[in-house]
């Protein structure tokens, strides 16, 4: 794992790239052209898929599953009897672990204040009405590792919010662990459909799959591009990029633990980002050494090596103040503070999907069992976005019920503002109330 100085890091691993300027790997370009034709880019391929599913529904889903996933689809909906069977056959220890995680996730989100309120101190009634979104589609990636935790982290906050219909889409050949998680959460339907075609089906609806009001959950490049293109037709939680962790450590940190946390992040994906900012040169060297030692025993060694080479690194900074400034600018999905006083350092940073305070609140606990959803903003969007939470699954409607006296008092003000904007019909509607006083 390379050790950078600050200027090198700013030009490489700390430099953000916008989704629309993403450089596609030669392998992705080659595969896309093989499937869709010469000169077709990934966004154009996604547009082709979306249009076909919108026009042809289930038939298009079957054709794309065969072409892209080499899957001869029988039933699109996985029978609930298979979900039950997967749960019953799950190792008892894994059942307990999944139930414990689900319980903590539910308890955390039940504490989130999401309330309807009405005030009568501004003349009549003013307030907000909170109602759950009617239907939500949850995308659960397949990829190189099954992620039943992502199903729990997305479905449970929606249930707490009161969403009436929750559907899950996951690529063909879903892991039994994902089926078991779907059974535990009692999802309405689990569809064995992945990629851009799954996003299209949830956004537009087909004969088998009901159109939803919002889609949540991360996926691969084509899932992200599809979500980008259907935005406005449905709501979205965000556009997820590669997962990322930034660790800030001082000389008090345990180099073995810091290395383990970086390796855990890097094993997600070859594009995953694991970055250490440290004030201590000796710690940087020790962490680099530990990474090389621990790497030898890990099953996803090749993925980790690619990740660390592509987007990982260690940056030696002059002070924790400088580390805080860099972290705030970077806006990491996960920000781990392995320092003597993590709460003080957190107070100097605004932008992070999640703060992990101290050596014993490490990211892996957040991935599975701490309680908050692990679906967090990536790509620097933590500057303006939040982790998936109950508010993602409700709508807030304004309630305006002014009394006659207050409405009369405000009508003249409204009319004057309408005159300022040259909206004569607005002004007339306001003055009509004054004339009939």
């Amino acid at each position: 794992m390379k050790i950078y100085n600050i200027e090198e890091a700013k030009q490489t691993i700390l430099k953000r790239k916008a989704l629309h300027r993403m450089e596609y790997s030669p392998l992705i370009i080659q595969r896309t052209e093989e499937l869709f034709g010469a000169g077709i880019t990934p966004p154009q391929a996604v547009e082709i898929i979306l249009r076909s599913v919108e026009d042809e529904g289930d038939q298009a889903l079957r054709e794309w599953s065969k072409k892209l996933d080499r899957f001869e689809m029988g039933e699109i909906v996985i029978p609930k009897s298979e979900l039950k069977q997967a749960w019953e056959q799950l190792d008892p220890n894994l059942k307990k672990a999944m139930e414990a995680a689900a319980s903590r996730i539910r308890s955390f989100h039940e504490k989130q204040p999401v309330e309807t309120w009405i005030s009568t101190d501004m003349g009549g009634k003013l307030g907000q009405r909170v109602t759950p979104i009617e239907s939500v589609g949850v995308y659960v990636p397949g990829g190189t590792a099954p992620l039943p935790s992502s199903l729990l982290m997305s479905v449970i906050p929606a249930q707490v919010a009161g969403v009436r219909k929750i559907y899950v889409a996951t690529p063909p050949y879903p892991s039994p662990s994902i089926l078991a998680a779907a059974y535990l959460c009692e999802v309405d339907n689990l569809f064995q459909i992945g990629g851009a075609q799954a996003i299209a089906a949830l956004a537009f609806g087909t004969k088998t799959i009901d159109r939803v009001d919002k889609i949540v959950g991360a996926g691969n490049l084509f899932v992200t591009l599809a979500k980008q293109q259907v935005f406005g037709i449905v709501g979205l939680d965000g556009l997820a990029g590669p997962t990322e962790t930034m660790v800030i450590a001082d000389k008090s940190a345990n180099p073995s633990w810091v290395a383990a946390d970086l390796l855990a992040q890097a094993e997600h994906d070859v594009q995953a980002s694991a970055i250490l900012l440290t004030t201590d040169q000796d710690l940087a060297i020790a962490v680099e050494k530990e990474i090389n030692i621990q790497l030898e025993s890990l099953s996803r060694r090749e993925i980790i090596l690619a990740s660390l080479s592509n987007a990982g690194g260690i940056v030696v900074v002059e002070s924790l103040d400088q580390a805080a400034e860099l972290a705030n600018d970077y806006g990491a999905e996960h920000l781990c503070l392995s320092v003597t006083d993590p709460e003080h350092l957190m107070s100097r940073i605004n932008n992070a999907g999640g703060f992990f305070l101290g050596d014993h609140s490490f990211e892996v606990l957040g991935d599975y069992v701490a309680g908050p959803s692990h679906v967090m903003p990536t790509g620097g969007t933590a500057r303006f976005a939040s982790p998936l939470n109950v508010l993602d699954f409700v709508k807030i409607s304004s309630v305006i019920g002014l009394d006659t006296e207050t409405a009369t008092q405000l009508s003249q003000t409204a009319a004057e503002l309408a005159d300022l904007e040259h909206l004569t019909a607005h002004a007339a509607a306001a003055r009509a109330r004054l004339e009939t006083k």
Side-chain angles (χ1 to χ4, degrees):
M1 194 172 188
K2 183 176 177 180
I3 299 177
Y4 294 82
N5 63 43
I6 293 171
E7 291 308 314
E8 289 176 329
K10 284 182 177 179
Q11 296 303 314
T12 53
I13 59 174
L14 297 180
K15 188 174 183 178
R16 293 294 194 181
K17 292 183 179 179
L19 181 63
H20 70 276
R21 298 191 65 182
M22 181 181 294
E23 296 178 1
Y24 306 114
S25 71
L27 183 61
I28 288 177
I29 293 173
Q30 178 185 347
R31 177 68 172 156
T32 302
E33 291 188 340
E34 286 174 355
L35 292 168
F36 295 90
I40 299 296
T41 65
Q44 290 169 333
V46 165
E47 184 179 1
I48 291 169
I49 294 172
L50 295 179
R51 286 184 177 180
S52 68
V53 174
E54 184 179 15
D55 293 342
E56 300 168 21
D58 289 344
Q59 181 59 32
L61 295 181
R62 297 181 190 282
E63 291 174 359
W64 288 119
S65 288
K66 182 177 181 180
K67 186 172 185 177
L68 301 178
D69 298 322
R70 300 175 184 174
F71 177 63
E72 291 281 358
M73 185 182 293
E75 294 298 322
I76 295 174
V77 181
I78 297 179
K80 293 188 177 179
S81 59
E82 290 189 24
L83 309 186
K84 181 179 180 181
Q85 183 181 23
W87 174 255
E88 291 174 344
Q89 294 178 353
L90 195 66
D91 180 275
N93 289 331
L94 294 179
K95 278 186 182 180
K96 290 180 181 179
M98 199 176 285
E99 287 172 333
S103 177
R104 288 189 64 90
I105 296 164
R106 191 173 301 277
S107 294
F108 174 87
H109 288 90
E110 285 175 344
K111 296 181 188 300
Q112 185 173 5
V114 183
E115 298 179 353
T116 293
W117 60 268
I118 299 292
S119 172
T120 58
D121 61 1
M122 294 179 67
K125 295 180 180 180
L126 288 172
Q128 68 177 25
R129 180 178 179 227
V130 179
T131 54
I133 292 172
E134 286 286 320
S135 60
V136 167
V138 175
Y139 189 85
V140 177
T144 57
L147 297 175
S149 59
S150 288
L151 189 150
L152 301 179
M153 295 285 185
S154 301
V155 168
I156 293 173
Q159 291 176 332
V160 171
V163 176
R164 193 164 61 88
K165 297 178 182 177
I166 302 173
Y167 306 123
V168 174
T170 193
Y173 314 107
S175 161
S177 64
I178 290 178
L179 304 186
Y183 178 80
L184 175 63
C185 290
E186 300 180 346
V187 301
D188 292 285
N189 277 313
L190 179 63
F191 307 121
Q192 51 185 337
I193 185 76
Q197 58 269 31
I199 302 303
L202 293 169
F204 301 121
T206 71
K207 183 178 180 180
T208 302
I209 300 175
D210 290 340
R211 176 179 62 84
V212 300
D213 299 315
K214 189 168 188 175
I215 299 173
V216 304
N220 65 14
L221 168 66
F222 292 90
V223 168
T224 301
L225 290 172
K227 288 174 72 175
Q228 185 181 41
Q229 292 186 29
V230 299
F231 177 67
I233 298 170
V234 291
L236 300 178
D237 57 337
L239 299 175
T243 184
E244 58 198 34
T245 283
M246 176 175 281
V247 179
I248 299 178
D250 60 17
K251 64 181 180 180
S252 71
N254 183 323
S256 177
W257 291 355
V258 172
D261 293 345
L262 294 171
L263 290 168
Q265 176 63 27
E267 79 169 341
H268 275 290
D269 184 84
V270 296
Q271 292 181 303
S273 175
I275 296 171
L276 168 63
L277 306 182
T278 181
T279 55
D280 190 80
Q281 179 76 34
D282 291 339
L283 180 75
I285 295 170
V287 169
E288 182 185 33
K289 182 179 179 180
E290 277 290 334
I291 284 174
N292 292 330
I293 294 171
Q294 295 180 30
L295 187 58
E296 294 304 315
S297 62
L298 300 176
S299 62
R300 293 166 69 86
R301 183 174 180 273
E302 295 305 317
I303 291 174
I304 293 170
L305 284 170
S307 168
L308 296 180
S309 175
N310 291 336
I314 300 172
V315 186
V316 179
V317 297
E318 296 175 2
S319 65
L320 289 180
D321 283 338
Q322 188 174 61
E325 183 179 344
L326 291 171
N328 209 45
D329 185 60
Y330 188 75
E333 178 186 11
H334 311 99
L335 184 59
C336 307
L337 306 181
S338 296
V339 297
T340 303
D341 189 349
E343 291 193 30
H344 177 67
L345 182 57
M346 179 178 67
S347 71
R348 290 141 70 183
I349 303 169
N350 292 326
N351 301 330
F355 291 93
F356 296 79
L357 306 181
D359 290 337
H360 295 287
S361 298
F362 52 100
E363 186 206 327
V364 170
L365 294 183
D367 282 344
Y368 294 113
V369 295
S373 176
H374 73 198
V375 180
M376 293 185 174
T378 61
T381 59
R383 293 179 296 107
F384 55 80
S386 308
L388 196 69
N389 64 86
V390 176
L391 287 173
D392 284 299
F393 300 104
V394 299
K395 303 166 294 171
I396 297 176
S397 301
S398 298
V399 177
I400 302 170
L402 300 174
D403 59 40
T404 303
E405 182 180 355
T406 302
T408 301
Q409 291 173 352
L410 295 177
S411 292
Q412 181 59 38
T413 302
E416 290 171 357
L417 291 172
D419 288 337
L420 178 65
E421 296 181 350
H422 306 292
L423 297 176
T424 56
H426 281 64
R431 290 194 170 98
R433 269 62 176 185
L434 294 173
E435 295 169 359
T436 58
K437 182 178 176 182

